[in-house]
């Protein structure tokens, strides 16, 4: 569920061969949605950070290099990290981008295993990659000239049951009804982890007085087969207010396996992705 304003925030589908397909831009939401988003921005924390974004937008703290944050949230048991580093992060850094990685993973063996069941006697991806400790990832970051900004490979499962309204519950995830369905609970857990990672992004910006140009949100088990050329996205005059998704497997919505956010679009969506899940809005019924 993404809160995007018609005319201000857009989802653009991306073709792997031809880059951004502007003729397939999909405007989401409703004109009244702008009012609701402005109400969100009036909240104390978000309003403070939004004003700082405006102040620091384009601040040249890295010698003019594009600043990119990569966010990965999920389970350590299924976290495929080596291809992300080899084919996404390292090439971006080599191309002149300042890349910072944020990871939050539920510790090995701590997932629910109700919906996703590990293969018996198998070695986890992190174990086979020898990246199951933060120090190993730091070493790769130093060699590749990118930054591991935040890394938690042993977090506990997110507590989400207390967020589910008892009365007047809005219609959400009707295919995976809450709180009974574990898949629906896992969606909430991932949203909460992403929201927490976004707060780490905000803290990094506040601490060092800069803003990221792009945020890449990649699922834990995404296996990258090749590099991502961000030049065409940065050349898009409206990239700061756009979300880019792969132009396949939409199933009536968008493919959320990997999402590329302009900085303003990320600020609208990610800091309250979990907190506003139960907002009483008919547009959010699913």
């Amino acid at each position: 569920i993404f809160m995007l304003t018609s005319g201000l925030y857009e989802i653009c589908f991306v073709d792997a061969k031809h880059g951004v397909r502007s003729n397939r831009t999909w405007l989401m939401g409703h004109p009244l949605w702008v009012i609701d988003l402005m109400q969100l921005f009036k909240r104390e924390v978000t309003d403070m950070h939004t004003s700082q974004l405006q102040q620091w937008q384009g601040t040249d703290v890295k010698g003019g290099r594009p600043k990119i944050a990569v966010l990965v949230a999920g389970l350590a048991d299924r976290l495929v990290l080596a291809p992300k580093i080899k084919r996404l992060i390292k090439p971006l850094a080599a191309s002149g981008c300042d890349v910072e990685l944020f990871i939050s993973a539920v510790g090995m063996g701590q997932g629910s295993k109700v919906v996703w069941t590990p293969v018996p006697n198998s070695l986890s991806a992190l174990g086979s990659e020898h990246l199951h400790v933060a120090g190993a990832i730091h070493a790769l970051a130093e060699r590749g000239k990118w930054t591991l900004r935040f890394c938690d490979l042993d977090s506990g499962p997110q507590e989400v049951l207390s967020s589910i309204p008892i009365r007047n519950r809005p219609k959400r995830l009707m295919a995976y009804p809450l709180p009974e369905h574990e898949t629906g609970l896992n969606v909430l857990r991932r949203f909460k982890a992403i929201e927490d990672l976004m707060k780490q992004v905000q803290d990094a910006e506040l601490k060092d007085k800069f803003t990221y140009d792009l945020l890449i949100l990649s699922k834990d088990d995404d296996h990258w087969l090749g590099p991502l050329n961000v030049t065409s996205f940065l050349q898009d005059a409206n990239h700061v207010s756009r979300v880019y998704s792969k132009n396949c497997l939409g199933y009536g919505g968008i493919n959320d396996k990997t999402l590329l956010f302009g900085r303003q679009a990320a600020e609208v969506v990610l800091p309250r992705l979990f907190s506003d899940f139960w907002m009483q809005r008919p547009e959010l019924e699913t």
Side-chain angles (χ1 to χ4, degrees):
I1 299 173
F2 294 101
M3 299 169 291
L4 303 167
T5 57
S6 178
L8 292 179
Y9 295 90
E10 305 172 327
I11 291 181
C12 296
F13 293 117
V14 177
D15 184 286
K17 293 183 179 179
H18 302 103
V20 181
R21 298 180 64 173
S22 57
N23 61 318
R24 294 295 299 277
T25 300
W26 186 16
L27 299 182
M28 298 286 291
H30 187 279
L32 294 178
W33 212 207
V34 179
I35 299 174
D36 295 316
L37 289 172
M38 293 308 295
Q39 292 298 321
L40 291 179
F41 278 113
K42 287 179 181 177
R43 294 173 181 168
E44 181 178 353
V45 174
T46 307
D47 183 62
M48 176 192 70
H49 197 78
T50 302
S51 64
Q52 296 293 353
L53 281 176
Q54 295 170 348
Q55 177 182 345
W56 298 330
Q57 197 76 44
T59 301
D60 191 9
V61 299
K62 293 289 184 180
R65 300 170 64 182
K67 296 169 284 295
I68 300 175
V70 178
L71 282 63
V72 181
L75 301 176
D77 289 308
R78 56 184 282 167
L79 179 56
V80 180
L81 193 55
K84 293 179 178 66
I85 293 174
K86 180 178 179 180
R87 300 190 179 99
L88 173 65
I89 297 174
K90 190 175 178 180
L92 283 174
S95 71
C97 296
D98 182 53
V99 188
E100 301 196 337
L101 176 60
F102 296 75
I103 306 175
S104 176
V106 175
M108 292 183 183
Q110 297 185 48
S112 66
K113 302 186 181 69
V114 175
V115 178
W116 174 77
T117 304
V119 177
N121 302 318
S122 65
L123 187 64
S124 70
L126 283 181
S128 62
E129 296 170 349
H130 305 291
L131 298 176
H132 52 283
V133 294
I137 306 173
H138 270 296
L140 287 179
E142 290 181 359
R143 291 198 296 270
K145 300 186 184 307
W146 51 275
T147 303
L148 180 62
R149 175 70 82 153
F150 178 83
C151 181
D152 185 355
L153 298 176
D154 195 29
S155 69
Q158 296 281 359
E159 193 287 308
V160 297
L161 283 172
S162 62
S163 73
I164 302 175
I166 299 175
R167 296 187 179 89
N168 300 321
R169 185 181 303 161
K171 294 180 180 179
R172 299 287 185 276
L173 301 177
M174 298 306 292
Y176 311 110
L178 295 162
E180 296 83 7
H181 207 292
E182 193 70 20
T183 297
L185 292 175
N186 284 340
V187 171
L188 285 182
R189 291 172 182 131
R190 181 167 184 267
F191 280 9
K192 189 173 183 180
I194 292 171
E195 182 175 303
D196 289 344
L197 275 185
M198 185 59 193
K199 290 174 181 174
Q200 293 290 335
V201 169
Q202 293 176 323
D203 288 346
E205 292 176 324
L206 289 169
K207 178 177 179 289
D208 293 339
K209 295 182 172 55
F210 75 100
T211 61
Y212 295 99
D213 296 290
L214 296 171
L215 280 75
I216 299 172
L217 181 61
S218 188
K219 294 193 80 171
D220 51 7
D221 59 351
D222 278 352
H223 188 109
W224 284 75
L225 301 176
L228 176 67
N229 184 352
V230 298
T231 303
S232 59
F233 300 103
L234 292 171
Q235 290 175 345
D236 177 1
N238 297 313
H239 75 270
V240 295
S241 58
R242 285 182 171 172
V243 183
Y244 303 89
S245 172
K246 294 185 293 184
N247 189 19
C248 63
L249 303 176
Y251 296 107
I254 65 169
N255 187 328
D256 68 343
K257 299 294 185 183
T258 294
L259 295 170
L260 178 67
F261 287 85
R263 185 60 188 86
Q264 291 178 8
E267 192 67 18
V268 171
V269 177
L270 299 182
R272 301 195 62 83
L273 182 61
F274 170 77
S275 299
D276 287 338
F277 183 81
W278 297 108
M279 182 189 294
Q280 292 282 0
R281 291 295 305 185
E283 296 90 338
L284 296 178
E285 292 183 1
T286 55

